[in-house]
Amino acid sequence: MNHKILFLIFGMFFISFASAAEEPLIYYKLDLDYSYGNITINSTEIEFSSKQMENSFGFYSANILDYDGEILNVSLFDVPNEILYDTINEEGEISGGGFLELNETQFDIFVPYYENAKEIVIYNENLSELTRKDIGEFSKEKPIIIGEEILEETEKEIREKPTETI
């Protein structure tokens, strides 16, 4: 009898661990344009993944800020603007090659999703700001602004409040 209880407890633990491991990770997917040292954000989407998404390591950064201007996350990335090429001689053999640096390219990066994020700011390797994008539309927690006063309640809290009738 004790073996059955122990087996049942172990089975329940394993199932709960396996289901937690399958929970998808949530990211912002940023479609970026690189042109002569400048970066612009073309589009932003929410992306779900069962595996951790990683960017090519580099010294550009994407900072995620909340509504108070506090940094929630810093993700480093590189601009994939170098390609390797080969030259071929008349006999069809590789006779040379090298690296070519592109002046313009388009690429995607992934940064973690936060429920209270307001904007993403992109910096270059010299920490000069290149661009910023408001991502508040994707946030679950948004402050409510009346005039210039910010209320502490979030949109979710307001929806959950019972309405009063007069």
Side-chain angles (χ1 to χ4, degrees):
M1 183 71 174
N2 287 339
H3 293 293
K4 288 182 182 179
I5 293 173
L6 186 60
F7 181 76
L8 181 63
I9 292 172
F10 178 76
M12 290 174 52
F13 174 75
F14 180 77
I15 290 171
S16 66
F17 178 78
S19 65
E22 293 178 15
E23 187 173 316
L25 301 169
I26 306 172
Y27 295 92
Y28 297 102
K29 177 183 176 184
L30 304 174
D31 177 33
L32 304 176
D33 270 344
Y34 172 84
S35 179
Y36 296 92
N38 293 314
I39 292 180
T40 55
I41 302 172
N42 288 327
S43 65
T44 306
E45 301 174 9
I46 299 295
E47 183 95 7
F48 294 89
S49 178
S50 59
K51 62 179 184 162
Q52 186 171 1
M53 305 297 282
E54 295 183 13
N55 302 309
S56 298
F57 177 76
F59 296 104
Y60 287 80
S61 66
N63 294 9
I64 302 173
L65 306 176
D66 68 9
Y67 282 89
D68 295 325
E70 299 293 322
I71 297 174
L72 298 171
N73 179 274
V74 176
S75 295
L76 298 176
F77 66 94
D78 193 19
V79 175
N81 65 331
E82 293 181 349
I83 59 172
L84 181 62
Y85 72 92
D86 294 324
T87 55
I88 300 175
N89 63 20
E90 294 172 358
E91 290 83 36
E93 299 168 336
I94 296 175
S95 60
F99 281 99
L100 179 64
E101 187 172 336
L102 303 174
N103 293 323
E104 298 179 319
T105 189
Q106 184 177 2
F107 63 103
D108 295 329
I109 63 168
F110 296 88
V111 294
Y113 171 81
Y114 289 89
E115 291 184 351
N116 60 333
K118 166 126 179 33
E119 62 186 346
I120 294 178
V121 184
I122 305 287
Y123 295 94
N124 66 13
E125 65 273 0
N126 299 322
L127 300 178
S128 297
E129 182 179 321
L130 297 176
T131 189
R132 63 178 55 222
K133 171 92 174 183
D134 187 330
I135 55 171
E137 66 185 279
F138 300 112
S139 295
K140 290 183 179 180
E141 299 177 14
K142 300 176 188 176
I144 298 171
I145 301 171
I146 299 176
E148 293 185 15
E149 183 178 335
I150 298 176
L151 300 178
E152 292 299 317
E153 295 178 313
T154 64
E155 185 177 304
K156 180 181 174 186
E157 290 171 334
I158 290 174
R159 278 183 287 181
E160 292 174 353
K161 274 188 179 178
T163 56
E164 295 179 19
T165 56
I166 303 176

